[in-house]
């Protein structure tokens, strides 16, 4: 019985997590997933109840789970608490506790929703790219680093095991998708890039069924705007991934549509890209799509049930075409939208 630790969090977090769980339960009914859920305090609500954002009970629950589904954390109420017990500090501690070194951010323009994209519809059509960013190495962590009156310095550094393991995540992900990986570096200027490219090539030997290409990061930035639909999995280091994943994330046209996954040494974590949206919390109008699609990623990457994930994605696309939430110009409230997704999934069973 796969165990899912639910960390609904703050703001709209509980509303969108509830929606995602409803959809997971419906998918369980169709696909026989045998899911078990347990909810834990995390973020601002955990500060209120336990005096810290990532209390022991949550640490233990997450380590014992097969996957973690997080809503969103934080809000103005906790903006002035001391840094060590801020909600965001809890998120960093959670990522560290599980050694989450790979961040997966898919950007998919759903059929019929091309008009939401800032790109021309003919360019946006068919975009379905997964950006995989190395999260725990590279220049954001490399030593030496420092600053004096006269200069400042940081170090871009990657070890072989660090590149190998993120390359494996990319090739494995491609096997669950369209079988193509594009590795992004700056091998024409940086030794780290040359090393990255050589190491990815070596790991590729184990994945002959996956097609591999390399791109320089500057060219890739252009391709993601001019020909985004030609890419499947894009893998890159921490700093380039930071930039390219944000670039890719605007392609679908709304923050409420973007899921994410973080994979690593222990329990994988799945969460919407958006924050706790305190301005609309409690109003029942949050778009649960990102949370529902994060739950679909959980089925693919934590439980290896891609067929159930695909059914959820199709049901979400149908519900979005039918009547989306107000942020996308529709009138469906969170609950009604979730019912639309569940109904579309039930049709999958009939069909
Ligand atoms: P954080 O720093 O936690 O990421 P933020 O304020 O930068 O927070 P969000 O909390 O994601 O970003 O909110 C940005 C805007 O997008 C807000 O106006 C919010 O209402 C809107 N928004 C975010 N997520 C959703 C959603 N799921 N449904 C509808 N609107 C959303």
């Amino acid at each position: 019985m796969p165990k899912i630790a639910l960390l609904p969090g703050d703001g709209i977090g509980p509303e969108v997590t509830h929606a995602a769980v409803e959809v997971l339960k419906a998918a369980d009914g169709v696909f026989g997933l045998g899911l078990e859920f347990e909810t834990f305090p995390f973020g601002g609500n955990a500060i209120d109840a336990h005096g810290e954002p990532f209390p022991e009970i949550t640490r233990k629950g997450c380590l014992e789970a097969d996957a973690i589904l997080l809503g969103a954390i934080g809000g103005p109420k906790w903006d002035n608490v001391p840094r060590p017990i801020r909600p965001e500090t809890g998120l960093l501690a959670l990522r560290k506790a599980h050694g989450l070194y790979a961040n997966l951010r898919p950007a998919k323009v759903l059929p019929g929703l091309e008009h939401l994209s800032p790109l021309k519809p003919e360019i946006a059509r068919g975009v379905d790219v997964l950006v995989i960013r190395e999260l725990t190495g590279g220049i954001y962590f490399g030593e030496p680093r420092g600053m004096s009156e006269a200069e400042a310095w940081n170090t871009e550094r990657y070890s072989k095991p660090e590149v190998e393991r993120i390359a494996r995540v990319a090739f494995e992900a491609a096997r669950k998708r369209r079988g193509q990986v594009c590795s992004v570096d700056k091998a024409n200027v940086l030794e780290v890039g040359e090393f990255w490219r050589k190491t990815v090539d070596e790991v590729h030997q184990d994945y002959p069924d996956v097609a591999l290409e390399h791109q320089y990061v500057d060219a890739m930035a252009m391709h993601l705007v001019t020909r985004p639909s030609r890419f499947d999995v894009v893998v890159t280091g921490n700093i380039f991934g930071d930039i390219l994943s944000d670039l890719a994330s605007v392609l679908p046209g709304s923050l409420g549509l973007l899921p994410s996954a973080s994979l690593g040494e222990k329990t994988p974590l799945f969460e919407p890209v958006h924050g706790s949206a305190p301005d609309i919390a409690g109003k029942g109008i949050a778009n649960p799509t990102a949370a529902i699609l994060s739950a679909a990623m959980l089925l693919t990457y934590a439980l290896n049930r891609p067929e159930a994930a695909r059914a959820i994605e199709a049901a979400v696309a149908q519900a979005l075409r039918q009547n989306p939430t107000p942020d996308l110009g529709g009138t469906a409230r969170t609950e009604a939208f979730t019912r639309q997704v569940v109904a579309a999934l039930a049709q999958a069973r009939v069909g």
Side-chain angles (χ1 to χ4, degrees), residues 203-215:
V203 176
H204 183 221
Q205 304 294 316
D206 294 340
Y207 298 87
D209 52 315
V210 177
L212 171 66
E213 67 168 310
H214 299 277
Q215 290 283 349

Side-chain angles (χ1 to χ4, degrees), residues 12 16 73 255-256 273-280 285-288 290 325 327:
I12 61 168
V16 297
I73 53 157
L255 197 53
V273 168
H274 63 71
S276 62
D279 52 328
I280 57 163
I285 54 165
N287 184 350
T325 41
D327 55 308

Side-chain angles (χ1 to χ4, degrees), residues 230-254:
R230 119 168 161 66
F231 296 98
D232 180 16
V233 174
V234 173
V235 63
T236 188
N238 204 341
I239 187 167
F240 296 156
D242 192 2
I243 299 163
L244 292 182
S245 61
D246 264 20
L247 195 165
S249 74
V250 300
L251 302 179
S254 170

Side-chain angles (χ1 to χ4, degrees), residues 11 17 44 148 197 262 269 282 311 318 331:
T17 305
S148 71
R197 191 172 280 224
S262 300
L269 167 71
Q318 189 177 323
T331 57

Side-chain angles (χ1 to χ4, degrees), residues 75-157:
K77 184 176 175 194
W78 303 281
D79 276 354
N80 295 319
V81 299
R83 187 168 293 282
I85 60 158
R86 285 240 183 110
E88 297 74 20
T89 310
L91 193 52
L92 294 178
L94 173 66
R95 290 192 179 130
K96 192 153 185 224
H98 293 269
L100 301 174
Y101 57 79
N103 187 237
L104 281 62
R105 291 217 339 217
K108 183 168 179 170
V109 176
L110 295 168
L113 294 179
E114 292 83 1
H115 61 282
L116 296 176
S117 175
L119 299 182
K120 289 179 196 148
E122 62 270 27
I123 294 179
R125 192 162 297 123
V127 168
D128 184 3
V129 57
L130 173 67
V131 179
I132 301 185
R133 167 187 173 191
E134 201 290 327
L135 209 53
T136 56
I139 197 163
Y140 292 172
F141 297 95
E143 297 286 348
R145 62 190 298 156
M147 186 165 66
S148 71
E149 279 295 312
E151 58 181 347
W153 58 97
N154 291 92
T155 304
E156 170 80 330
R157 182 190 296 262

